[in-house]
């Protein structure tokens, strides 16, 4: 009987996974039982050494679109495929968050909320939307969904990816030259990149300087994408007008971090998108079935590209 170890606070997986594969036994960490009996692991932030302690582990499933939380384990066993999640509802949540952040700045909500505190009736209008471009960094499933939805509400949308992509209605750029060409055009920049060696610290002083004055930064990728001191400096000199940040180098964001009190920063607690058992379980089980049947797994992490 195939057995899966779940490391998540979301207990709905325990019922949801066997609904799609009744034979599947789910053990909930830390109740591992006999480590030799575990075939699959479905994990978020596995404690270092946990995966290595499972001698018959065959596939590691990430409970996130990113796999950096698994790769951070210095004792990660080599040679076991790691599968990234693909959850339509997570995509939907991420897009909602991106729209919320763009529209919050676009419709001058920071100033309107400040006016309200003083009972000030000041009508504020956005820039002309069809001429106000948004750039999306990362054109995987999530980035494409965000780009399409922004496009649908009238923004010109640019997308940037490591390798060339085509997405209907979106101006696609790639590589370093593509990034240099795209940034000066974008009033809003949204990061949904995976965290890799190539993307670590991508939002640094040079990147921010390349954006037009008054641009806004929205980070829903990983904290490691942003060089915090560079973003704070760009906010303080006014080149960047605001930041909407969901992810941080250290989470929870420490209480003394300057982002918390910064008047131009919105901090949210890594809640842009969650993986929802009801919609994600079937894709995980489909991969388990492929593995049981000796077929090729879908959405496997590729070390050469880092995601
Ligand atoms: C969440 O941060 C994810 O990687 O899906």
């Amino acid at each position: 009987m195939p057995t899966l170890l779940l490391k998540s606070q979301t207990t709905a997986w325990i019922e949801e996974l066997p609904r799609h594969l009744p034979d599947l036994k789910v053990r909930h960490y830390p109740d591992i039982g006999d480590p030799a009996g575990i075939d699959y692991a479905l994990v978020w932030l596995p404690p270092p050494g946990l995966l290595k302690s499972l001698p018959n582990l065959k596939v590691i499933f990430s409970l996130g679109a990113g796999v950096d939380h698994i790769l951070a384990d210095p004792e990660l066993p080599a040679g076991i495929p790691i599968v990234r999640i693909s959850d339509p509802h997570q995509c939907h949540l991420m897009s909602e968050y991106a729209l919320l952040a763009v529209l919050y700045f676009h419709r001058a909500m920071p100033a309107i909320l400040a006016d309200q505190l003083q009972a000030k009736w000041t009508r504020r209008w956005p820039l002309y939307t069809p001429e106000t471009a948004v750039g999306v960094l990362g054109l995987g499933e999530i980035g494409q969904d965000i780009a399409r939805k922004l496009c649908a509400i009238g923004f010109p949308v640019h997308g940037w990816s490591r390798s060339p992509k085509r997405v209907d209605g979106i101006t696609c750029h790639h590589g370093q030259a593509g990034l240099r060409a795209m940034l000066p055009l974008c009033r809003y920049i949204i990061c949904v990149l995976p965290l890799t060696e190539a993307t670590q610290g991508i939002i640094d002083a040079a990147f921010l300087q390349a954006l037009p004055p008054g641009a806004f930064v929205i980070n829903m990728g990983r904290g490691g994408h942003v060089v915090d001191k560079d973003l704070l400096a760009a906010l303080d000199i006014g080149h960047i007008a605001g930041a909407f940040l969901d992810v941080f180098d250290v989470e929870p964001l420490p209480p003394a971090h300057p982002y918390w009190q910064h008047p131009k920063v919105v901090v949210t607690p890594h809640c842009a998108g969650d993986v929802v058992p009801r919609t994600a379980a079937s894709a995980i089980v489909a991969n388990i079935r492929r593995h049981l049947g000796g077929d090729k797994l879908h959405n496997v992490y590729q070390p050469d590209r880092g995601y």
Side-chain angles (χ1 to χ4, degrees):
M1 215 171 255
T3 302
L4 176 141
L5 176 67
L6 170 71
K7 166 151 188 309
S8 166
Q9 287 170 358
T10 310
T11 50
W13 293 107
I14 299 169
E15 279 164 24
E16 201 61 45
L17 290 163
R19 269 197 342 106
H20 299 267
L21 183 60
D23 275 355
L24 186 70
K25 285 268 156 289
V26 180
R27 297 187 195 164
H28 193 196
Y29 179 84
D31 295 328
I32 297 179
D34 175 11
I38 291 168
D39 307 289
Y40 305 107
L42 175 61
V43 290
W44 177 256
L45 272 178
L50 171 67
L51 297 167
K52 187 181 159 194
S53 74
L54 310 174
N56 295 315
L57 187 62
K58 296 170 183 73
V59 183
I60 300 166
F61 291 95
S62 168
L63 260 175
V67 293
D68 48 305
H69 62 109
I70 294 172
L71 301 179
D73 178 353
E75 298 174 61
L76 181 66
I80 301 183
I82 303 173
V83 173
R84 300 162 59 223
I85 209 99
S86 164
D87 175 11
H89 193 66
Q90 184 190 31
C91 249
H92 184 86
L93 290 171
M94 295 289 278
S95 293
E96 279 182 359
Y97 184 98
L99 294 178
L100 168 75
V102 168
L103 293 176
Y104 175 80
F105 289 130
H106 193 55
R107 298 309 304 257
M109 283 311 292
I112 290 173
L113 292 172
D115 289 344
Q116 185 178 346
L117 290 176
Q118 299 179 55
K120 261 170 75 181
W121 183 273
T122 308
R123 300 174 81 211
R124 298 174 187 273
W125 301 110
L127 293 177
Y128 183 53
T129 304
E131 289 176 358
T132 307
V134 185
V136 180
L137 302 170
L139 285 176
E141 276 177 22
I142 292 172
Q144 290 194 25
D145 194 61
I146 291 172
R148 284 199 196 92
K149 286 174 178 164
L150 284 163
C151 191
I153 60 170
F155 288 97
V157 182
H158 296 261
W160 182 78
S161 51
R162 193 182 60 101
S163 52
K165 292 247 164 99
R166 288 178 68 120
V167 186
D168 278 353
I170 312 303
T171 310
C172 294
H173 309 258
H174 69 278
Q176 277 312 309
L179 191 60
R180 277 196 300 276
M182 180 179 99
L183 291 180
L185 307 174
C186 299
R187 184 158 180 89
Y188 304 100
I189 196 87
I190 302 173
C191 175
V192 282
L193 289 165
L195 188 64
T196 68
E197 265 174 36
T199 65
Q200 174 86 35
I202 187 170
I203 303 180
D204 61 3
F207 177 108
L208 295 164
Q209 196 50 46
L211 290 166
F216 295 89
V217 173
I218 296 157
N219 187 19
M220 2 179 355
R222 287 289 184 262
H225 288 127
V226 172
V227 178
D228 291 340
K229 69 171 183 18
D230 292 356
L231 177 57
L232 286 163
L235 287 162
D236 289 341
I237 59 167
H239 180 69
I240 297 299
F244 211 105
L245 307 174
D246 187 50
V247 284
F248 305 91
D249 245 346
V250 176
E251 293 181 6
L253 185 66
H257 198 287
Y259 283 149
W260 279 116
Q261 303 301 335
H262 201 292
K264 295 181 183 166
V265 177
V266 176
V267 169
T268 59
H270 201 146
C271 61
D274 201 7
V275 178
V276 179
R278 187 141 63 99
T279 49
S282 61
I284 295 168
V285 166
N287 254 334
I288 293 179
R289 286 189 192 278
R290 279 183 202 107
H291 182 261
L292 291 170
D295 296 328
K296 210 163 168 260
L297 295 166
H298 289 187
N299 267 330
V300 176
Y301 155 72
Q302 294 174 30
D304 56 324
R305 56 174 207 185
Y307 60 96

